[in-house]
Amino acid sequence: IAIDAWAFRETGRLTEAVLTSLVKEIQQHYLLPDLKRTLARYLSIISPAVKNVPVLEAISKVMASADELDSLKLRLKEAVLSTKDRFLVVIDDVDRLDPGEFQSLLKTVRLCASIPRIVYVLAYDRASIHQLIAKGKPALARDFMDKVVEDEWVLPLARGESLQDYIRHHLPKPPENRLARFAKDFEERLKESFPDIRQLLRTPRQVKRACMALSRRSILVSRLNPFDALVWQILRQRQPRLFEFISENPWLLRPEKGSESDWVLRLLFNQERQKKDFEQIDNLIKSTADYPEAVQGLFWTLFPKDRTADEKVEAEQLRFRRICHSSFFDAYFLLDSGSATDRLDEIDAQVST
C-alpha cells in the first residue's frame, strides 16, 4: 500500500488515507461484511473533522463511549488478522513535510500501529529528516529517530552501468537524421565524465529532472551536441549560481559579437588575465558547490582551459557543435537558438570538405 505523505500535508487526512487504503486492499481479496462502515464510524470518532461534518454532529461523535471505540478498533484488528496476510504500508516523501506535519505523521503511524500484521515503511532522506527534527544537532536527531524507527535501511546508489542506462533511456530521443559522430562522441564522453556526473546526479529523480528539462527544449537540443546539452543541464540545475554567473558574464568564455579577433589576441597574448578569469570561476565553484571537484571536472570538460586558437581545434569544435564554440554558445547558455543552428547543413558541408 503506497501513501504519498506530501499529498495529505494540508488536509490532515493521513490517518484516513492509511486505513481506507488498508480496507480497500482487504476488500479486493476477501469478503468481510460491514468493514467499510466500521472504518467510517471509527474515523468519525478519532478524527471528526476529517469528514467536515457539522459542529454539533462532530461533538456528539467525539463523545462516543470508549467501549464503542474499542469495539470498532477490535473489529478492524479482527478483519486484518482474518486475512492471515501481512500488509506493507509505504509512506513516501516524509522529508518534504514541515516539523508540525512530521509530528502528525508520527502520531498517525503510532495510532494505526496498534493494528497487528501491518508494517510501516517511511521513505525519507536522512540528512533532510535530521535537519527537520533538530537543525544543526545531528546527534539529537539520531537519538530521536532511534526511538521512532525500529530499523533503518540505506538504499545504495544505482550501479554505474544501470545509472548510465537510466540516463540514456530518459534523454530526448535523437532525430532519425542525427549523425553517427554525435552518438559516438556522447558515449565516449559519458564514460569518461561519469564519475563526476554521478556525484551530481545521485538519484533517479535527479536524472529524470535533468532529462525532462532537455525534453522541453527538444527541438533546439536536437540541433546541438547531446553530451554538452546534458552536462549544461546538470550544471544549470545542480549548480545554478555558476550557471547564472556565466550567463551574466559570457565574455569570460567566448568573444562578444564583433570582437572575435580581439578575443583571440587576448587568448594568445594575455594569458595572465585569462588565468584570473578561470580562477574567478574556480573560486565560485569552491564556495558554492557541494561537490566542487565534480563540478569543476564537468565545467572544464565543456570549456577546456588549455584550448588554443588553432584552426583544427576550431573546426573540430564547430563540427561537433560544442558549447565552447562561439557559434553555438548562445544556444546553450543564453536560451537563444543562435545563428549557427539555422545553417547546420551548410556548416557540416563546410567542415567535411
Side-chain angles (χ1 to χ4, degrees):
I1 301 171
I3 304 291
D4 185 359
W6 181 259
F8 298 95
R9 60 179 304 178
E10 299 295 339
T11 63
R13 294 175 57 189
L14 188 56
T15 302
E16 180 185 12
V18 171
L19 293 179
T20 300
S21 298
L22 176 64
V23 168
K24 183 178 180 180
E25 182 68 21
I26 292 174
Q27 289 184 321
Q28 285 181 352
H29 304 282
Y30 304 95
L31 180 61
L32 297 174
D34 296 331
L35 181 58
K36 190 173 182 180
R37 186 180 302 158
T38 300
L39 173 64
R41 176 60 179 164
Y42 180 72
L43 289 173
S44 69
I45 294 175
I46 65 172
S47 184
V50 161
K51 296 294 184 180
N52 294 318
V53 297
V55 175
L56 291 179
E57 185 179 352
I59 293 175
S60 66
K61 290 182 178 180
V62 171
M63 296 175 65
S65 68
D67 290 341
E68 182 185 7
L69 183 61
D70 290 340
S71 176
L72 292 169
K73 184 184 292 186
L74 179 62
R75 176 71 180 109
L76 291 174
K77 289 182 179 180
E78 290 174 346
V80 174
L81 290 172
S82 68
T83 67
K84 298 182 180 180
D85 288 332
R86 289 188 177 275
F87 296 87
L88 184 67
V89 179
V90 181
I91 303 178
D92 198 8
D93 285 334
V94 174
D95 51 288
R96 298 177 67 183
L97 303 176
D98 65 30
E101 292 160 350
F102 181 59
Q103 289 183 15
S104 297
L105 170 63
L106 296 182
K107 291 178 182 178
T108 294
V109 172
R110 186 177 295 275
L111 180 66
C112 299
S114 61
I115 301 176
R117 305 186 70 83
I118 303 176
V119 176
Y120 294 88
V121 176
L122 308 183
Y124 55 81
D125 176 74
R126 179 191 287 167
S128 299
I129 279 291
H130 286 181
Q131 285 288 95
L132 187 68
I133 297 170
K135 189 174 183 179
K137 299 178 181 178
L140 182 62
R142 283 195 299 270
D143 290 343
F144 178 84
M145 290 302 291
D146 286 344
K147 298 174 182 177
V148 174
V149 179
E150 291 185 2
D151 201 357
E152 188 176 54
W153 294 80
V154 178
L155 293 179
L157 293 176
R159 295 179 181 272
E161 286 296 328
S162 298
L163 192 58
Q164 290 184 39
D165 289 341
Y166 198 76
I167 291 174
R168 296 186 189 98
H169 176 73
H170 284 89
L171 280 173
K173 301 302 179 186
E176 294 182 0
N177 61 348
R178 168 69 62 83
L179 300 175
R181 67 173 182 264
F182 290 107
K184 182 180 179 181
D185 176 73
F186 180 87
E187 290 299 326
E188 290 177 351
R189 296 170 69 199
L190 176 64
K191 293 178 180 178
E192 180 182 342
S193 298
F194 185 71
D196 292 333
I197 291 175
R198 186 168 187 169
Q199 287 292 316
L200 300 187
L201 298 183
R202 302 178 67 84
T203 67
R205 178 180 295 175
Q206 291 171 348
V207 173
K208 288 178 66 175
R209 184 167 178 259
C211 293
M212 284 175 62
L214 291 177
S215 297
R216 297 189 188 101
R217 303 176 62 217
S218 58
I219 295 178
L220 177 58
V221 170
S222 67
R223 301 178 178 182
L224 304 174
N225 183 289
F227 180 81
D228 283 14
L230 172 64
V231 172
W232 158 82
Q233 188 60 45
I234 294 172
L235 292 175
R236 180 172 178 262
Q237 291 185 350
R238 311 308 302 169
Q239 193 61 27
R241 184 65 194 94
L242 174 64
F243 177 83
E244 292 170 4
F245 178 78
I246 299 303
S247 297
E248 295 166 357
N249 304 277
W251 54 84
L252 296 177
L253 297 170
R254 67 104 167 95
E256 297 277 38
K257 292 181 179 179
S259 62
E260 286 83 356
S261 58
D262 294 338
W263 199 82
V264 171
L265 290 174
R266 171 184 155 194
L267 183 67
L268 291 173
F269 302 110
N270 198 349
Q271 295 184 357
E272 187 63 31
R273 178 176 175 182
Q274 185 187 52
K275 182 180 178 181
K276 290 182 179 179
D277 292 341
F278 290 167
E279 286 179 353
Q280 187 177 4
I281 295 172
D282 277 331
N283 290 336
L284 175 65
I285 293 173
K286 291 176 182 177
S287 63
T288 60
D290 292 331
Y291 304 97
E293 291 184 1
V295 173
Q296 287 175 323
L298 292 178
F299 185 82
W300 296 119
T301 293
L302 296 182
F303 302 97
K305 288 184 177 181
D306 57 353
R307 66 185 187 275
T308 58
D310 183 273
E311 288 186 3
K312 291 184 178 180
V313 174
E314 181 84 4
E316 190 73 359
Q317 293 173 354
L318 185 63
R319 180 169 175 262
F320 281 94
R321 306 172 191 175
R322 294 287 309 277
I323 190 174
C324 57
H325 193 280
S326 59
S327 297
F328 293 102
F329 182 93
D330 288 355
Y332 291 92
F333 264 95
L334 304 183
L335 305 181
D336 183 349
S337 62
S339 58
T341 59
D342 295 329
R343 50 188 185 90
L344 295 178
D345 293 339
E346 177 187 340
I347 290 175
D348 287 337
Q350 179 181 355
V351 172
S352 61
T353 58

